[in-house]
Amino acid sequence: MAARSFWSVGATTVLAFAATATLAQGASAGADAEEGDTLEAITVLAKRHAMTRPAQGAKLPVALIDLPQSVTIIDRELLSDQNVVLLQDALRNAGGVVPGGYFQGFDFYRIRGFDSSGFTFLDGLLADQTFWTQEELFGMEQVEVLKGPVSGLFGQSPAGGLVNLVSKRPKRDQFLHLEASTGSDDYMDIGVDGNTQIGERVALRVNALYREHGSFVDNVALAKRYFLAPALTWDIGDATHLTLLGQFISEDTGIAQPLPAEGTVLPNPAGNIPRTRAIGEPTFRDGADIERRQAGWDFTHDFSDALSFRQMARASSIDVDFQAIYPWYVDEDLRTLNRYARKQKVEATAYAVDNQLIAKVATGSARHTMVGGIDYYRFDQQQGFAYYSFSGPGLAPIDLFDPQYGEVVPDFSVRRLIPTRLKRVGAYFQDQVELTDRFSVLFGGRYDWTEDNDAKDRKFTPRAGVTFKVVPGANVFASYAKSFQPQGGYVTAAGDPLPPETGEQFEIGLKTELFGDRLAGTISVYQLTRQDIATDDPNSEEYVFITTGEQRSRGVEIDGVVRITPTWEVIANYSYTDAEITRDNELVVGSPTVNIPKNGFNIWTKYVIADGLLRGLGFSAGVRHYSAQAGDLKYVGAESDAFELPSYTVCDAGVSYDRDRYTLRFNVSNLTQEDYFPASYGRTFVMPGEPRTYRFGVSYDF
């Protein structure tokens, strides 16, 4: 692509994961801490997960501990410690989130029992409606997980919640961070994160990255990604600020296809299928050419200490050319896999703007923090598909246990692009009222006008909550929220579009930041119900639907950070999720939703030597476990076709050395070589988990 000539110059630089600015000092660290670099290390470990900061995705300048909603923030420091590249790997640090999918190359994740993929937000605006681009964490300051319905602020969205990414912004500083990494499967990345101040009122920051990697699966093409994210902040006046944000991603992806259930998670007389097995053809590259461009701004103006205005806007476009050989069905011998080839072409543009007015006022003894806003979103897409193998001679099958490659796929192409258009406008309001020093309430809602091609909907979604401060640093909360999501493409027997799917949640919980900052976290209990889900109309033989489907998720979540000593901390989460079908015309009532383990936990710990000759040497280790989960939905009359993905436990470890201006990191994932399968989409779509992989990185700060 055109970007390569530019990036050939940048390929000689090395990549930087920017260390975030050190947060405020720990309450009890001063007496015990040593001076200089040791004190700085203690400060970073102690305060980076503080509950006293707000989440950008909450749209209110309210500390997390005072917000009646479960929110997890995964910061830059933790992403760097774990050498995280993919969003799904970052999300394992949030309780109630099940990352990973049945297909490589996409940001798949489920929140509180339900799929939330495709609704990743970037700086408060929907990142990519097409779902084709994996978001680049190198350019992010933090990852925010908002759990439960958020339609009261964001409009149409999944019932389980959404993920909001916060991009790196210019700072009043002069720095340059360089870093490079190498690792398993031909992994390599190089890049730069630089910031400079231009005069007294302008700051510029540029993040640039080149990455390439292979796959543990045979015959997968080398993937290459080019990433550029410039940002410029202009302090127009003391009360007026404008940040311009750009992002460019160009990549050639290589995609590994899933495998059948028989031979992976189910018995097969021929044995186990190697997880490195490729089902495609070496001469037919499975992957996509993707180019995405984004440009926007974040404008703020403070009329006074009590009233401010904010506008966030972004325009984006994306072009995708995709092709792959897919699994179709397995013959009765359980070793012959029939296949088909598919091509897809996408051209899309999107425009989004969110206008907010934030006010802080008092009415008597009550103190209000309010936000009201109007946002607009428009998405236009041209998309087409082409298939080879459904008719005529077709693509030759492959023996899963003795593959003979060499099949030539005839040239075929996408001949027609079909247009689609989505538009929505939403008006929202939210007020958090501190009635006393210990008791506050939150209430608000949003009204949306949506248009999905010819289907038009209007919907109001409320949210409300209360927070009570039990003791300083410990708040209990309760909340209620609803969500909605249009069901475009589904029509009734009368030809009318179906009304939106809705969600409803009740939640209670406890948030803490105790003993200075040594113990911070959230415990929550919830019931979340999806209603009005499209199901087949039993009174018609046509492809028409009715809204009788219902699914319910009940769960318990724990997210916490414990600082055992100033240089030793533990980050952990646990979730119990009971998600099941409660009403449906086709699915077995009481059966579980797909790819949702009932139990899951993740623990990560890091210890840094604070002084002496080995000062700055750190050791980290992690364990993540997921219980068995449904690999497919259970249909009435075909109960025996349903299957489970077995439970699995994966161990990770790392060593780091941070001294003066440079940092060395070495991380190993799946240390014990666990053979596991994180997700599936039916009997021919079971995705193997990655084997043991390593990554070594070095960085230098100028």
Side-chain angles (χ1 to χ4, degrees):
M1 296 183 180
R4 292 193 177 118
S5 60
F6 165 78
W7 279 98
S8 63
V9 177
T12 57
T13 63
V14 287
L15 175 136
F17 281 111
T20 54
T22 304
L23 301 175
Q25 63 190 23
S28 61
D32 299 327
E34 297 195 16
E35 297 180 356
D37 292 341
T38 304
L39 179 58
E40 182 180 356
I42 293 172
T43 306
V44 171
L45 287 175
K47 297 297 292 185
R48 63 180 186 170
H49 299 279
M51 293 285 289
T52 53
R53 58 182 174 181
Q56 185 201 67
K59 295 191 179 183
L60 272 178
V62 174
L64 285 182
I65 198 168
D66 296 322
L67 190 69
Q69 180 184 9
S70 292
V71 177
T72 298
I73 294 181
I74 305 161
D75 64 15
R76 177 75 260 165
E77 186 73 14
L78 182 57
L79 296 175
S80 297
D81 284 346
Q82 296 180 349
N83 236 334
V84 168
V85 172
L86 301 178
L87 178 59
Q88 66 183 38
D89 293 331
L91 292 177
R92 66 186 182 223
N93 295 289
V97 181
V98 182
Y102 57 88
F103 210 78
Q104 287 187 351
F106 299 87
D107 288 331
F108 285 107
Y109 53 88
R110 281 79 63 203
I111 304 176
R112 291 193 164 176
F114 303 124
D115 188 21
S116 294
S117 308
F119 275 84
T120 303
F121 277 61
L122 173 61
D123 295 323
L125 302 172
L126 185 61
D128 188 351
Q129 179 83 36
T130 70
F131 189 52
W132 273 102
T133 307
Q134 288 186 291
E135 298 304 322
E136 182 51 63
L137 294 188
F138 178 77
M140 303 304 151
E141 201 68 66
Q142 65 186 34
V143 178
E144 301 174 347
V145 183
L146 286 73
K147 304 176 187 178
V150 291
S151 290
L153 284 176
F154 291 93
Q156 67 178 75
S157 53
L162 60 78
V163 172
N164 180 57
L165 307 178
V166 180
S167 59
K168 295 175 182 177
R169 302 295 181 93
K171 299 180 179 181
R172 289 181 172 273
D173 197 1
Q174 193 93 9
F175 61 79
L176 180 65
H177 303 271
L178 304 176
E179 187 169 306
S181 298
T182 186
S184 304
D185 302 317
D186 299 320
Y187 182 91
M188 184 272 289
D189 63 22
I190 54 177
V192 59
D193 177 6
N195 191 98
T196 186
Q197 191 159 343
I198 306 171
E200 295 183 355
R201 293 189 174 273
V202 177
L204 173 68
R205 188 170 186 176
V206 177
N207 280 264
L209 169 77
Y210 171 77
R211 176 186 298 120
E212 63 182 38
H213 64 87
S215 172
F216 66 92
V217 177
D218 298 335
N219 301 332
V220 174
L222 191 70
K224 300 178 180 181
R225 165 171 282 208
Y226 306 84
F227 172 78
L228 178 66
L232 183 144
T233 294
W234 177 24
D235 296 330
I236 302 172
D238 293 339
T240 308
H241 311 278
L242 174 66
T243 297
L244 302 177
L245 297 163
Q247 190 186 104
F248 174 79
I249 292 176
S250 176
E251 63 181 337
D252 299 333
T253 67
I255 295 175
Q257 292 284 6
L259 298 172
E262 289 86 357
T264 53
V265 297
L266 294 177
N268 190 314
N272 294 325
I273 303 172
R275 60 181 165 188
T276 59
R277 178 69 73 236
I279 68 163
E281 292 293 336
T283 57
F284 188 86
R285 182 177 69 88
D286 286 0
D289 294 335
I290 302 171
E291 189 169 289
R292 189 180 78 177
R293 302 154 292 270
Q294 295 184 332
W297 64 81
D298 186 348
F299 174 81
T300 61
H301 176 72
D302 298 327
F303 296 100
S304 67
D305 292 339
L307 183 64
S308 61
F309 171 77
R310 183 179 190 183
Q311 182 185 75
M312 296 175 291
R314 182 164 60 240
S316 61
S317 65
I318 187 171
D319 298 297
V320 180
D321 284 295
F322 170 83
Q323 67 176 34
I325 293 175
Y326 282 75
W328 191 359
Y329 64 91
V330 181
D331 287 347
E332 293 183 0
D333 62 4
L334 297 182
R335 63 183 300 150
T336 303
L337 175 68
N338 294 273
R339 309 172 293 169
Y340 68 92
R342 183 183 112 179
K343 291 186 177 182
Q344 185 174 352
K345 185 176 181 62
V346 176
E347 299 172 356
T349 59
Y351 305 93
V353 60
D354 186 5
N355 302 286
Q356 303 174 8
L357 200 62
I358 301 169
K360 295 182 179 182
V361 299
T363 55
S365 61
R367 299 180 298 274
H368 299 257
T369 303
M370 299 179 290
V371 61
I374 297 176
D375 66 23
Y376 171 80
Y377 179 78
R378 173 172 170 169
F379 174 74
D380 294 277
Q381 178 176 263
Q382 300 269 347
Q383 180 173 229
F385 301 87
Y387 298 90
Y388 174 75
S389 199
F390 289 130
S391 61
L395 187 63
I398 192 171
D399 188 332
L400 290 165
F401 296 90
D402 185 21
Q404 302 298 314
Y405 301 109
E407 176 76 2
V408 177
V409 181
D411 186 34
F412 67 104
S413 60
V414 177
R415 298 178 181 235
R416 182 188 175 198
L417 299 181
I418 300 174
T420 58
R421 172 175 293 179
L422 308 176
K423 291 196 297 184
R424 57 179 178 261
V425 176
Y428 59 89
F429 174 79
Q430 188 170 260
D431 187 6
Q432 176 136 346
V433 189
E434 294 182 55
L435 298 175
T436 70
D437 290 339
R438 302 179 68 181
F439 183 68
S440 64
V441 299
L442 180 146
F443 63 90
R446 174 175 167 129
Y447 196 86
D448 278 273
W449 297 262
T450 68
E451 182 178 332
D452 186 345
N453 292 323
D454 295 329
K456 297 181 179 180
D457 287 300
R458 296 183 179 184
K459 198 71 177 177
F460 175 73
T461 46
R463 67 182 309 216
V466 296
T467 303
F468 180 75
K469 183 181 296 183
V470 182
V471 296
N475 290 2
V476 294
F477 70 92
S479 65
Y480 171 81
K482 298 197 71 173
S483 68
F484 85 100
Q485 197 167 356
Q487 304 187 86
Y490 293 98
V491 297
T492 66
D496 300 322
L498 284 187
E501 171 194 313
T502 60
E504 182 181 53
Q505 178 182 272
F506 299 88
E507 179 180 20
I508 60 173
L510 169 69
K511 295 186 178 183
T512 66
E513 189 170 55
L514 298 170
F515 311 113
D517 44 32
R518 292 181 180 273
L519 176 62
T522 303
I523 302 174
S524 60
V525 180
Y526 67 88
Q527 176 174 295
L528 174 60
T529 306
R530 290 176 64 197
Q531 300 167 322
D532 302 319
I533 301 173
T535 61
D536 282 346
D537 188 341
N539 299 315
S540 175
E541 296 182 356
E542 303 296 326
Y543 189 67
V544 293
F545 300 85
I546 55 178
T547 55
T548 60
E550 181 182 271
Q551 301 174 7
R552 184 186 64 213
S553 177
R554 292 171 171 165
V556 178
E557 293 170 358
I558 303 173
D559 288 272
V561 180
V562 180
R563 183 171 64 87
I564 301 172
T565 72
T567 58
W568 182 16
E569 75 176 3
V570 178
I571 303 166
N573 64 73
Y574 166 78
S575 60
Y576 170 81
T577 310
D578 183 13
E580 63 179 16
I581 311 298
T582 50
R583 191 168 65 238
D584 203 279
N585 292 332
E586 297 179 285
L587 302 176
V588 175
V589 172
S591 62
T593 60
V594 70
N595 293 326
I596 303 297
K598 280 199 171 183
N599 293 279
F601 75 82
N602 175 73
I603 184 169
W604 174 267
T605 183
K606 181 179 181 181
Y607 175 77
V608 179
I609 298 174
D611 52 24
L613 293 177
L614 298 179
R615 178 172 60 86
L617 181 63
F619 303 91
S620 56
V623 178
R624 42 197 160 101
H625 170 83
Y626 297 98
S627 62
Q629 53 189 295
D632 198 3
L633 294 170
K634 186 178 291 187
Y635 288 86
V636 175
E639 290 86 351
S640 61
D641 289 343
F643 64 96
E644 275 193 342
L645 305 180
S647 63
Y648 63 91
T649 302
V650 176
C651 300
D652 307 314
V655 178
S656 62
Y657 185 66
D658 193 348
R659 195 70 176 263
D660 300 327
R661 294 177 176 269
Y662 62 88
T663 300
L664 304 176
R665 285 194 178 93
F666 180 74
N667 292 77
V668 180
S669 180
N670 196 0
L671 190 65
T672 59
Q673 196 74 312
E674 176 84 353
D675 196 6
Y676 69 101
F677 302 89
S680 73
Y681 189 65
R683 294 184 87 90
T684 57
F685 276 78
V686 177
M687 178 54 67
E690 287 195 343
R692 183 189 301 119
T693 59
Y694 72 88
R695 193 164 298 143
F696 173 75
V698 56
S699 68
Y700 190 83
D701 300 337
F702 291 90

